[in-house]
């Protein structure tokens, strides 16, 4: 390992304070480093050349790093300074030992699926791709206003699912199954499982239920006229693109994968026990 980029969340004071200690540690092990501050994702960030990335922040910082690291196969060492830590699996109080193991070649990465989404729009000059991006957690198509109902035509591999009247829909990876998808009533899925999870948001009909699909499914969503409701698509809640009626959104697994260091399945279940208080429930019983 010769060079590292440290991505630090500028809104997280503890992460910013720890960045110098991480840089000093790397220097003491003959690894040069460069700081990259994360304050939001406008899709223009260029990742400098490096062998690996360290993120100092919460899961959101890892989501940002995933979009710029995955296309180049650069692994991410995620140190958790956030609240949840479902993705960022390295403790902020104990990052030195696992980082040393990584530098010595004794710690490996796991691969996580990304989603690839695109917005296809018809214009005066024909059909064109208006927007594309990737997401580690989820791609969400939803209304942007209060008390507005979307009408969406949904299909999977050309199999029609019918019209969804709801606040929108979520297509999530297993990694993202603990995020917005879970809040909308979707299942929690082990991140090592290969799948897509489609969940409606506040569906008008009880017949619109979450469904788990095979990972290479092509989900297609057509935005119908929705009585003046404004619509948007978001990628990991960080990149947003406004939609128009008759836009077609396609979502499937991306070709590239995210490489996360020290984020074995045991870290995921440990976060579940901690954040969902499973251990406390078992003790009470």
């Amino acid at each position: 390992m010769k060079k590292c980029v440290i991505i630090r969340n500028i809104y997280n004071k503890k992460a910013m304070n720890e960045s110098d200690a991480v840089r000093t540690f790397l220097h003491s092990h003959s690894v040069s480093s460069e700081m990259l501050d994360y304050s939001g994702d406008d899709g223009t960030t260029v990742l400098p050349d490096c062998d690996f990335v360290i993120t100092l922040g919460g899961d959101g910082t890892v989501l940002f790093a995933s979009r710029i690291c995955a296309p180049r196969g650069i692994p991410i060492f995620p140190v958790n300074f956030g609240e949840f830590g479902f993705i960022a699996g390295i403790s902020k109080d104990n990052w030195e030992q696992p980082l040393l193991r990584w530098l010595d070649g004794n710690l490996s990465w796991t691969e996580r699926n990304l989603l690839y989404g695109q917005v296809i729009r018809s214009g005066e000059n024909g059909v064109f791709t208006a927007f594309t991006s990737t997401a580690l957690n989820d791609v969400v198509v939803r209304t942007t206003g209060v008390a507005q109902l979307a009408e969406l035509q949904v299909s999977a591999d050309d199999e029609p699912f019918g019209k969804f009247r709801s606040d929108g829909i979520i297509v999530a990876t297993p990694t993202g199954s603990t995020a917005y998808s879970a809040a909308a009533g979707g299942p929690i899925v082990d991140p090592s499982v290969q799948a897509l999870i489609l969940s409606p948001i506040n569906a008008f009909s009880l017949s619109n239920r979450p469904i788990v699909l095979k990972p290479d499914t092509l989900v297609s969503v057509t935005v119908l006229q929705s009585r003046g409701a404004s619509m948007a698509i978001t990628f990991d809640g960080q990149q947003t693109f406004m939609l128009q009626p008759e836009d077609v959104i396609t979502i499937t697994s991306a070709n590239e994968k995210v490489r996360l260091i020290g984020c074995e399945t045991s870290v995921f279940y440990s976060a579940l026990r901690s954040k969902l208080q499973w251990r406390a429930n078992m003790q009470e019983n």
Side-chain angles (χ1 to χ4, degrees):
M1 300 294 173
K2 298 297 183 182
K3 185 176 181 181
C4 170
V5 170
I6 302 170
I7 299 178
R8 55 186 188 175
N9 189 325
I10 67 169
Y11 300 113
N12 190 310
K13 185 176 180 180
K14 292 181 179 179
M16 295 293 287
N17 291 340
E18 194 72 6
S19 60
D20 287 336
V22 174
R23 192 169 199 175
T24 299
F25 182 90
L26 291 170
H27 180 74
S28 69
H29 291 84
S30 303
V31 178
S32 65
S33 62
E34 182 174 343
M35 297 289 189
L36 177 62
D37 288 344
Y38 165 63
S39 60
D41 188 4
D42 62 2
T44 63
T45 302
V46 177
L47 180 69
D49 289 335
C50 61
D51 298 303
F52 70 105
V53 160
I54 296 175
T55 60
L56 305 178
D59 286 347
T61 312
V62 184
L63 297 176
F64 163 73
S66 297
R67 283 190 291 277
I68 59 177
C69 289
R72 291 162 54 183
I74 296 173
I76 301 168
F77 184 92
V79 184
N80 182 36
F81 284 86
E83 296 182 16
F84 296 105
F86 283 110
I87 308 173
I90 307 297
S91 169
K92 67 179 184 297
D93 300 317
N94 184 33
W95 55 263
E96 291 187 2
Q97 183 179 5
L99 182 53
L100 182 59
R101 289 178 58 204
W102 165 249
L103 296 177
D104 289 340
N106 297 318
L107 187 65
S108 60
W109 67 66
T110 57
E111 291 190 331
R112 302 283 183 89
N113 279 359
L114 276 174
L115 296 173
Y116 173 74
Q118 58 180 338
V119 178
I120 302 169
R121 179 171 292 173
S122 297
E124 293 180 359
N125 298 320
V127 177
F128 64 100
T129 300
F131 190 81
T132 67
S133 191
T134 57
L136 175 57
N137 262 359
D138 50 44
V139 178
V140 179
V141 179
R142 67 163 302 154
T143 59
T144 61
V146 178
Q148 292 182 332
L149 198 63
E151 293 197 12
L152 305 170
Q153 195 75 38
V154 181
S155 65
D157 287 341
D158 294 325
E159 291 290 341
F161 283 2
K163 183 186 297 184
F164 281 46
R165 299 188 68 200
S166 63
D167 287 351
I169 66 163
I170 304 165
V171 179
T173 64
T175 300
S177 68
T178 53
Y180 195 3
S181 177
I188 294 176
V189 181
D190 187 303
S192 65
V193 173
Q194 304 297 304
L196 300 181
I197 304 124
L198 190 155
S199 301
I201 308 169
N202 296 330
F204 187 76
S205 171
L206 294 178
S207 64
N208 295 143
R209 310 297 297 173
I211 183 170
V212 178
L213 305 166
K214 56 189 177 68
D216 60 348
T217 300
L218 180 66
V219 177
S220 178
V221 182
T222 301
V223 179
L224 305 178
Q225 289 285 353
S226 301
R227 297 182 184 179
S230 58
M231 301 288 300
I233 183 171
T234 61
F235 293 78
D236 283 338
Q238 296 181 346
Q239 290 185 320
T240 301
F241 182 78
M242 297 304 296
L243 299 171
Q244 299 176 4
E246 307 308 322
D247 280 351
V248 177
I249 299 101
T250 60
I251 306 163
T252 191
S253 294
N255 292 328
E256 63 266 22
K257 295 181 183 293
V258 178
R259 296 175 173 179
L260 297 178
I261 303 165
C263 295
E264 297 82 3
T265 303
S266 60
V267 174
F268 172 77
Y269 284 105
S270 176
L272 284 180
R273 287 192 296 270
S274 173
K275 306 307 177 183
L276 302 185
Q277 299 182 346
W278 286 356
R279 182 178 300 139
N281 291 340
M282 289 187 292
Q283 289 175 347
E284 290 172 2
N285 292 331

